[in-house]
Amino acid sequence: GGVLDGQPLRHSFARPGGPAADLAWVESVLAGLALRRTGPPVQVRIGKRSSLGRIPIEGQTVWLEIAAGRLKTRVYQSSKLGEHPVLAVLVHGDIPDPRQGLYDMAMRLAHISDDVVAAGVLRPGYTDAQGDTSSGRMGYAIGDNYTPEVVDDVDAAIRQLKARHHAARVVVIGHSGGGAITADLIGRH
């Protein structure tokens, strides 16, 4: 699998065989990063001179138990991993856009660092590009879900990840509203 020529979003004037060549290039880049594709590529969007696709790569989806139900994380590990790595947790912002790149950033962080386990946390109530939704209430993306319950749920997920990976230290990285959740975590825990 992996040829995108037959995709319904593909323009008739597009270069024949172009997607196969693009996919071969992506495969070589992934091989250079010691990664492998885990599923077929999917064309997401196409413009007049460019297209956007999604290629699933290695990583592990881990569902964690929280008070609200289940919280999704996507976990990546450095190629050089010791007994007690650093756990880097990425918390996305308020805008409910599944293309925020949360999991991509976690993957990149793990692959450019030694002794790091990087986890992208899908905040309560949010849905990612794969269609998975963490339990809980998203709110209206205006800062109305920085509640003690949401903060405690994210804290519970971090504690479970730390125990699972025997992490020596935890670094939490929040973007926008994820930064507010991170600040609340520091204040509450």
Side-chain angles (χ1 to χ4, degrees):
V3 176
L4 298 175
D5 285 311
Q7 290 291 323
L9 297 177
R10 187 157 171 74
H11 289 294
S12 59
F13 59 80
R15 179 172 51 106
D22 295 344
L23 188 58
W25 174 79
V26 168
E27 297 274 2
S28 71
V29 170
L30 291 175
L33 294 170
L35 296 173
R36 68 178 180 83
R37 186 164 51 101
T38 59
V42 176
Q43 193 164 9
V44 175
R45 184 174 53 207
I46 191 161
K48 290 185 178 183
R49 294 188 174 91
S50 65
S51 64
L52 173 66
R54 182 178 308 116
I55 298 176
I57 59 170
E58 290 179 321
Q60 180 183 19
T61 296
V62 178
W63 288 93
L64 301 169
E65 296 300 318
I66 57 172
R70 297 182 334 147
L71 188 133
K72 181 181 179 182
T73 62
R74 187 96 178 130
V75 180
Y76 301 86
Q77 298 181 357
S78 299
S79 58
K80 295 178 184 173
L81 200 62
E83 286 184 40
H84 300 286
V86 173
L87 173 64
V89 178
L90 288 81
V91 184
H92 65 81
D94 289 343
I95 304 300
D97 184 350
R99 297 168 295 163
Q100 287 188 50
L102 169 73
Y103 305 139
D104 293 334
M105 291 300 295
M107 183 270 303
R108 288 182 186 137
L109 180 59
H111 289 286
I112 64 169
S113 308
D114 288 338
D115 208 27
V116 169
V117 172
V121 171
L122 184 61
R123 287 172 42 193
Y126 282 80
T127 301
D128 64 13
Q130 291 74 37
D132 293 327
T133 303
S134 288
S135 301
R137 185 177 165 274
M138 184 182 87
Y140 297 103
I142 56 171
D144 60 332
N145 70 343
Y146 308 158
T147 64
E149 294 81 15
V150 167
V151 173
D152 291 347
D153 283 344
V154 173
D155 178 65
I158 291 170
R159 289 178 188 277
Q160 290 173 59
L161 288 167
K162 182 179 181 187
R164 177 184 292 241
H165 296 284
H166 310 286
R169 293 184 319 235
V170 176
V171 176
V172 182
I173 304 162
H175 170 254
S176 188
I181 297 284
T182 301
D184 287 345
L185 275 168
I186 293 167
R188 283 184 61 83
H189 302 278

